[in-house]
Amino acid sequence: MNALQFIETSIAEGIGYIFLNRPKQLNALNRKMVREIVSTMEEFDRDPQVKVILLSGNGKAFSAGADIDEMVNDDPISMELTNQFADWDRISLVKKPVIGAVKSFVFGGGFELALSCDFLIAASDTQFSFPEVTLGVMPGAGGTQRLTKLVGKTKALEWILTAERIKAKTALQYGFINKIVAPELLMEESIDFARKIAMQPRWQ
Ligand code: DAK
C-alpha cells in the first residue's frame, strides 16, 4: 500500500476500516484524499481477508464536503475537466459491502460519499446536506441520482435546490439510512453490524 496521507486504514476480523483523517478541516475531501479512499476500497475488494468495508471519519464530523480551499481557483470548465468525483463511480464497482458510519456534518462531497455506501449508520447528531447550490454548482459525483433513487424525485430535488440540512430522523423516515445510534455508540454499533455481515458464508 502506498503511504496514505489523508486516511487511516486497518483490517481486523474480516472488516476493512477506512477513516477519513483531516479532523481539523472536518474531513474536507481534497483530491488526494479521494484517490486514497477509492484505491484503498479497491485494494480491500481484492483482499480475501476483508469481507466488509467500514468507512467513517476521525474527529467530530464525517465530512464537510469538498475542500473549498482547493476549489477556490477552479472555474466551472476546469472543475468539469478535473472531474475529481468521477472516482466515486469506481466505488460502486466495489463488490464487497460498504458500511458508512456517519456523524455530525455529512455535506456536499461527503454526502455523495455516504450515498455511495451500501449501508449507512448515523449518529443522532448527523445532518446531511448538499450545500453546492449555495456555491453556484450542483453535486457532481452522482449524488443527485443516488438520492433520487433512494427517496424519489420530489424530496431529492427539494433538498438539492434548497441545501436544507436533513436530520438523521428525517433520513431514517425517508429510508436512506439504516439506523440511528447514540453518538458515543456509533463505532460499536457499526462494528456489530459489520460483523453480522462479515460472518455470513460466502464464496472466496
Ligand atoms: N473545505 C475546507 N475546509 C473546511 C471545509 C471545507 N469544505 N469545511 C470546514 N472547513 C474547515 C474550516 O475552514 C475550519 O478551519 P479553521 O478555520 O479552523 O482553520 C474548520 O474546518 C472547522 O470549520 P468551522 O469553524 O466552520 O466549523 P463549524 O462547526 O462552525 O461549521 C460547517 C461547520 C460544516 C457548517 C462549516 O464549516 C461549513 O459550512 N463548511 C463548508 C461546507 C461546504 O460548503 N462544503 C462544500 C460543499 S460543495 C463539482 C465539483 C465539486 C463540487 C460540486 C460539483 N463538479 C466537478 C461538477 C462541490 C462539492 C462540495 O462538496
Side-chain angles (χ1 to χ4, degrees):
M1 213 175 260
N2 293 327
L4 297 169
Q5 194 180 351
F6 297 115
I7 63 172
E8 283 181 355
T9 69
S10 58
I11 299 173
E13 298 178 89
I15 304 170
Y17 293 90
I18 300 176
F19 285 92
L20 311 184
N21 193 30
R22 295 184 79 207
K24 284 190 190 147
Q25 294 82 18
L26 304 177
N27 294 322
L29 297 155
N30 62 33
R31 288 170 191 138
K32 179 154 194 291
M33 190 178 186
V34 171
R35 288 197 297 273
E36 288 182 359
I37 296 164
V38 175
S39 62
T40 301
M41 283 200 184
E42 289 174 339
E43 270 183 48
F44 282 168
D45 207 25
R46 290 189 295 268
D47 186 338
Q49 279 189 80
V50 175
K51 310 292 181 201
V52 56
I53 298 168
L54 183 47
L55 172 69
S56 194
N58 284 339
K60 173 182 165 186
F62 177 68
S63 173
D67 186 344
I68 290 175
D69 298 332
E70 200 179 51
M71 282 164 53
V72 81
N73 294 319
D74 285 338
D75 57 58
I77 303 292
S78 68
M79 282 171 84
E80 205 49 55
L81 292 174
T82 310
N83 200 11
Q84 60 165 314
F85 289 120
D87 283 337
W88 292 152
D89 287 341
R90 284 163 55 195
I91 298 177
S92 60
L93 300 176
V94 170
K95 292 180 285 305
K96 289 177 185 165
V98 181
I99 300 165
V102 297
K103 56 190 171 179
S104 182
F105 306 112
V106 183
F107 283 9
F111 194 7
E112 310 225 50
L113 178 57
L115 289 169
S116 298
C117 296
D118 299 301
F119 305 95
L120 283 176
I121 299 180
S124 53
D125 65 350
T126 308
Q127 302 173 46
F128 301 86
S129 175
F130 278 131
E132 280 84 343
V133 70
T134 68
L135 303 170
V137 289
M138 281 283 114
T144 56
Q145 304 313 302
R146 291 196 178 94
L147 188 61
T148 303
K149 205 167 158 191
L150 286 162
V151 305
K153 179 188 153 192
T154 310
K155 250 356 213 184
L157 198 54
E158 177 186 322
W159 287 332
I160 291 162
L161 293 185
T162 63
E164 184 177 322
R165 293 189 184 183
I166 307 155
K167 295 195 170 108
K169 267 189 187 164
T170 309
L172 188 64
Q173 184 193 335
Y174 279 91
F176 72 85
I177 63 172
N178 293 79
K179 61 170 155 179
I180 300 174
V181 300
E184 63 277 16
L185 295 179
L186 177 64
M187 281 324 291
E188 193 180 320
E189 295 264 0
S190 302
I191 291 168
D192 274 357
F193 188 84
R195 278 199 190 114
K196 273 185 204 149
I197 294 174
M199 68 192 282
Q200 304 300 332
R202 72 191 62 206
W203 298 341
Q204 85 151 7

